[in-house]
DNA sequence: TCAATACCTGACTATTTTGTCAAGTATTTA
DNA sequence: TAAATACTTGACAAAATAGTCAGGTATTGA
């Protein structure tokens, strides 16, 4: 159960664009890479990925760079995850984990499938409701905002203990 | 955002043991491997992993094999995931994704951390409440049981559309 | 006690995912 | 229009994950 490098780093780069959005002019790959501690080549690849997915637009030439395509409060973490690797869909799992067979032996009747379906539903629902702007504040505030948003008994203290 | 092969296949093997539990005698690796469409060597590795984690016990020698250690209704999917690769903890993410630096540049103040904390909390809470027995029924019933358990508006129809 | 059954272990190979590199194209500005 | 800036692309290298293999040890039962 993990977050891929693409998702983590890609999301961080996207947050840089969101943070930079108000300034109007695009931000260069070099700037993003530097402030994220990534190589320029790698940041380039990630931004390109986000660009292909339509979350980001690129401007070539001297004053060029990358720019968030929508308003930062209209782009969600869910959008980013979808663009960067996708959610835990059961169809992806079923197609991938087929053992030695060409089709999964549980294809017709699988006790596990409802589990992943449900997990996926939860995560997707949660992340689709977190706009990038929510994460531009400092960590304490971001946590606060998310906790209030999801509205279930979940305080910073329990949060810490869960992890 | 993905489920690792270890988690998926390991969980499937564990379900075989749970299914077999009432018969009393252990089930051999060969039997598990065959019914899951896995190689014997691989099933062996997975079962060994579950054994090290204490979810499963092994019996050597002629009538040997593997056996679930607890009662099938007392072992949860959450237990299995923990044994097989672990949850999406933020500490794992922070330690792993450090870019070119030795420490993540966001170590002190990270807007993303509360997101993963929350996601992790949700998933863990959900999976810890799904006992293996719930998944031994046929898929329709399993889905039904999970849906009732989590008690939120989530029908088979919407489930399909989400995936 | 010896042969057959089954688990145990660690090293090895294959595959996938991550990350880099180099040569290109588009745009601006002097 | 030439030089500098920046994005584009596809092939490649490195690292992590997945899966295999071979030789071992423990237990049973004839």
């Amino acid at each position: 159960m993990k977050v891929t490098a693409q998702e983590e780093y890609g999301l961080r780069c996207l947050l840089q664009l969101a943070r930079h959005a108000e300034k109007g002019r695009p931000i260069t790959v070099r700037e993003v890479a530097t402030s994220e501690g990534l190589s320029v080549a790698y940041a380039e690849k990630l931004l390109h990925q986000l660009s292909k997915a339509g979350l980001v637009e690129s401007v070539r030439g001297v004053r060029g760079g990358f720019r968030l395509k929508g308003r930062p409060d209209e782009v969600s973490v869910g959008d980013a995850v979808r663009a960067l690797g996708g959610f835990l869909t059961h169809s992806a799992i079923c197609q991938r984990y087929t053992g030695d067979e060409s089709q999964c032996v549980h294809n017709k009747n699988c006790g596990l499938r409802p589990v992943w379906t449900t997990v996926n539903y939860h995560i997707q629902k949660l992340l689709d409701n977190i706009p990038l702007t929510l994460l531009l504040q400092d960590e304490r505030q971001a946590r606060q905002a998310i906790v209030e948003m999801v509205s279930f008994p979940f305080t910073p203290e329990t949060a810490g203990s869960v992890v």
Side-chain angles (χ1 to χ4, degrees), chain A:
Chain A
M1 203 117 233
K2 56 196 286 200
V3 174
T4 65
Q6 281 218 4
E7 285 162 348
E8 175 71 23
Y9 290 137
L11 193 40
R12 292 186 198 174
C13 290
L14 192 65
L15 284 176
Q16 288 293 337
L17 300 211
R19 187 169 285 120
H20 194 268
E22 50 188 26
K23 303 212 176 96
R25 71 170 177 81
I27 182 175
T28 66
V29 174
R30 177 170 305 280
E31 291 176 277
V32 172
T34 302
S35 54
E36 287 300 329
L38 302 175
S39 74
V40 175
Y42 192 30
E44 207 158 357
K45 189 173 195 168
L46 295 168
L47 285 168
H48 186 66
Q49 185 113 186
L50 290 166
S51 166
K52 272 195 302 181
L55 284 187
V56 148
E57 65 189 358
S58 65
V59 181
R60 293 172 83 145
V62 165
R63 289 285 170 83
F66 285 87
R67 187 159 34 202
L68 198 64
K69 217 164 180 177
R71 275 170 39 197
D73 61 339
E74 284 175 335
V75 178
S76 74
V77 175
D79 295 329
V81 169
R82 245 181 300 277
L84 289 163
F87 283 101
L88 180 57
T89 66
H90 79 228
S91 43
I93 294 177
C94 295
Q95 275 164 39
R96 171 164 188 161
Y97 297 134
T98 63
D100 291 343
E101 318 287 323
S102 63
Q103 281 216 335
C104 176
V105 296
H106 302 291
N107 209 18
K108 289 248 179 61
N109 184 26
C110 177
L112 224 38
R113 198 149 33 192
V115 174
W116 301 140
T117 304
T118 307
V119 167
N120 182 52
Y121 177 87
H122 268 88
I123 299 180
Q124 203 162 317
K125 188 173 170 185
L126 173 63
L127 297 189
D128 279 342
N129 276 300
I130 304 180
L132 297 184
T133 39
L134 215 84
L135 309 181
L136 297 183
Q137 323 162 53
D138 80 89
E139 185 167 354
R140 272 249 320 280
Q141 292 177 298
R143 179 183 304 283
Q144 184 71 28
I146 292 176
V147 168
E148 277 168 18
M149 202 193 64
V150 296
S151 69
F152 67 102
F154 178 60
T155 66
E157 289 72 40
T158 65
S161 73
V162 165
V163 180

